[in-house]
Amino acid sequence: MLELAEAVMRLKENFRKQKLTEVIPLSKSYGRVAAFDIPSPINVPNFSKSAMDGYALFAEDTMAAKQEKPITLSAIGSVYAGDDPSSINAARNTCVRITTGAKIPQGYNAVIKQENTTNNDSKQITVFTEVVPGENYIEKGEDLVAGELIIQAGTILDSENIGTLAAVGLTTLTVLKKIRVGLIATGSELLSPGERLTAGKLYNSTVYTLASYIERYNGTIVFQEKCPDDPICFSQILKQYAGKFDVVLTTGGVSIGDKDFLPQGIKVLGAEEIFHFIKMKPGTPVMASRWQDTIILSLSGNPFASLMNFHLFYWPLLAYFFQNKQFLLKEYDAEIASGYRKKAS
Ligand SMILES: Nc1nc2c(c(=O)[nH]1)N[C@H]1C(S)=C(S)[C@@H](COP(=O)(O)OP(=O)(O)OC[C@H]3O[C@@H](n4cnc5c(N)ncnc54)[C@H](O)[C@@H]3O)O[C@H]1N2
Ligand code: MOO
């Protein structure tokens, strides 16, 4: 029987990489894959600004100022966050009232915290400590310089990335298109949640788990259908959606029972088998096929086996499609802390 690693390799050999891109609003970009490098279009901040509430001044004017021997500066105006201070003429021995985040008028080279001053009559400011050039002075471009790479092609965008893109004023970006996935649950015993439960039937649960995983990680569900144990239904669904999906996941019908029709359905469709039965348990009868430019991954029916098959094959496939290892499962060694009893079979 085929080893898992070999089966995964064969899957990839029969698949392709995502080349299609789309432009989307920044607000909808969480978890999407950036298609290109993005350089910052601006400096951040775009102007030199104050880190403190206080007074912008010439650091040189405060030389030797101390508690017992303060110096006095004349206050010539005020600048608040958002103001344009270009009309202020910075001159030696003057200062301006400034608030945190406000643009520092051209000429001044430091800001003194207001705690280290007293404001005598709003015209005269007494300074009790020396400040050095650059103190409390946030340089233009200190966070980002225009042209600096802020997002690398292939990045899966997280909340911090989105904030950074907003900070440079971008509203849209180009991402790789999502993977388009079709889902087919097979089995004449399956009912949809909401239907009346009757003898011998059970609810189709697995594809709901699969759909939620897929949609969380750059996938879009193109169709979600249910088929009785009948190869014609299966192939008709695929033909109906031909060209609209990249991958189809099916559940059930892959073992060797009388009603395990999936292999037959694959033949009726004219798809090519990539593998069937893998050295893994649960999920041994898993099957994969290639049809046109797509992969049909047929998971074992037992819900837990389905999920094992899904995790071991879908994530490597996704990582290959998006050329991004972050989609791979992480591997850890673990020891079972206490024993467990396995039922026979
Ligand atoms: N004689 C043999 N019988 C079986 C073998 C074998 O080697 N020789 N393998 C067993 C193994 S292992 C598995 S796993 C199952 C897999 O068979 P199928 O993929 O054909 O699965 P089904 O028979 O269609 O379903 C199995 C079980 O799971 C339920 N099911 C199926 N789909 C769903 C769904 N979407 N949601 C919820 N439950 C689902 C189904 O009703 C069955 O109870 O074969 C063994 N047999
Ligand atoms: O593949 Mo199985 O072992 O019944 O889940």
Side-chain angles (χ1 to χ4, degrees):
M1 234 185 300
L2 201 63
E3 294 283 349
L4 178 67
E6 169 65 22
V8 168
M9 215 158 74
R10 281 201 205 166
L11 256 193
K12 290 186 207 162
E13 280 164 9
N14 281 281
F15 204 35
R16 64 196 150 75
K17 297 166 192 167
Q18 179 61 298
K19 292 275 184 288
L20 303 175
T21 62
E22 63 183 331
V23 176
I24 59 163
L26 182 62
S27 57
K28 299 275 184 250
S29 65
Y30 183 84
R32 300 298 299 272
V33 182
F36 306 112
D37 285 350
I38 305 176
S40 176
I42 58 166
N43 290 301
V44 178
N46 208 26
F47 53 89
S48 303
K49 63 179 188 175
S50 175
M52 293 285 169
D53 296 315
Y55 297 90
L57 42 66
F58 287 88
E60 295 76 5
D61 293 341
T62 68
M63 271 218 309
K66 3 181 146 81
Q67 198 65 32
E68 326 74 75
K69 205 174 152 238
I71 56 114
T72 304
L73 300 174
S74 43
I76 59 165
S78 53
V79 197
Y80 300 113
D83 286 354
D84 174 2
S86 52
S87 61
I88 292 174
N89 288 316
R92 294 295 299 264
N93 297 308
T94 70
C95 64
V96 290
R97 173 81 181 120
I98 197 159
T99 56
T100 305
K103 181 171 181 183
I104 296 175
Q106 181 84 37
Y108 293 125
N109 60 5
V111 170
I112 188 164
K113 283 206 283 191
Q114 81 190 50
E115 295 89 319
N116 295 335
T117 64
T118 48
N119 178 344
N120 308 332
D121 56 1
S122 82
K123 294 262 170 8
Q124 292 279 305
I125 304 300
T126 307
V127 172
F128 295 97
T129 54
E130 205 175 277
V131 294
V132 294
E135 198 166 321
N136 299 321
Y137 185 104
I138 300 172
E139 295 274 359
K140 173 179 176 174
E142 197 167 302
D143 293 340
L144 293 171
V145 178
E148 183 178 334
L149 187 65
I150 48 172
I151 302 289
Q152 230 177 344
T155 301
I156 300 174
L157 294 150
D158 64 16
S159 305
E160 283 69 28
N161 295 144
I162 292 171
T164 304
L165 291 166
V168 302
L170 294 177
T171 56
T172 59
L173 75 157
T174 309
V175 293
L176 294 180
K177 277 195 171 181
K178 291 184 175 183
I179 190 165
R180 300 165 305 163
V181 183
L183 289 171
I184 306 178
T186 75
S188 300
E189 74 280 24
L190 297 178
L191 295 173
S192 295
E195 285 186 292
R196 201 171 69 82
L197 195 57
T198 50
K201 310 280 192 207
L202 54 84
Y203 290 117
N204 163 24
S205 56
T206 316
V207 295
Y208 290 83
T209 312
L210 302 181
S212 67
Y213 269 124
I214 292 160
E215 289 190 320
R216 220 163 100 198
Y217 295 97
N218 272 282
T220 183
I221 305 296
V222 187
F223 61 88
Q224 186 169 329
E225 304 272 359
K226 197 156 54 79
C227 259
D229 297 315
D230 160 22
I232 304 299
C233 166
F234 165 77
S235 60
Q236 270 174 352
I237 291 178
L238 288 202
K239 283 180 185 154
Q240 180 191 340
Y241 291 103
K244 297 200 169 80
F245 57 84
D246 304 303
V247 175
V248 169
L249 300 181
T250 68
T251 59
V254 285
S255 190
I256 53 172
D258 302 345
K259 296 285 186 177
D260 289 335
F261 71 91
L262 224 282
Q264 204 188 326
I266 292 293
K267 283 204 187 83
V268 171
L269 183 68
E272 188 189 323
E273 183 182 309
I274 301 172
F275 60 74
H276 191 187
F277 292 100
I278 296 297
K279 212 165 165 186
M280 69 178 280
K281 201 165 177 47
T284 319
V286 60
M287 181 177 180
S289 322
R290 182 197 165 97
W291 184 59
Q292 298 175 344
D293 211 10
T294 69
I295 294 281
I296 303 166
L297 187 57
S298 303
L299 316 174
S300 301
N302 283 330
F304 187 68
S306 280
L307 289 183
M308 287 305 101
N309 288 157
F310 172 76
H311 288 307
L312 292 171
F313 291 108
Y314 183 77
W315 302 122
L317 203 62
L318 200 67
Y320 178 76
F321 188 67
F322 288 117
Q323 290 293 289
N324 197 314
K325 289 193 170 137
Q326 281 186 66
F327 289 117
L328 291 175
L329 292 182
K330 308 255 178 314
E331 281 184 36
Y332 299 99
D333 289 327
E335 255 177 54
I336 298 177
S338 55
Y340 79 103
R341 197 175 291 278
K342 187 177 184 296
K343 274 208 293 185
S345 104

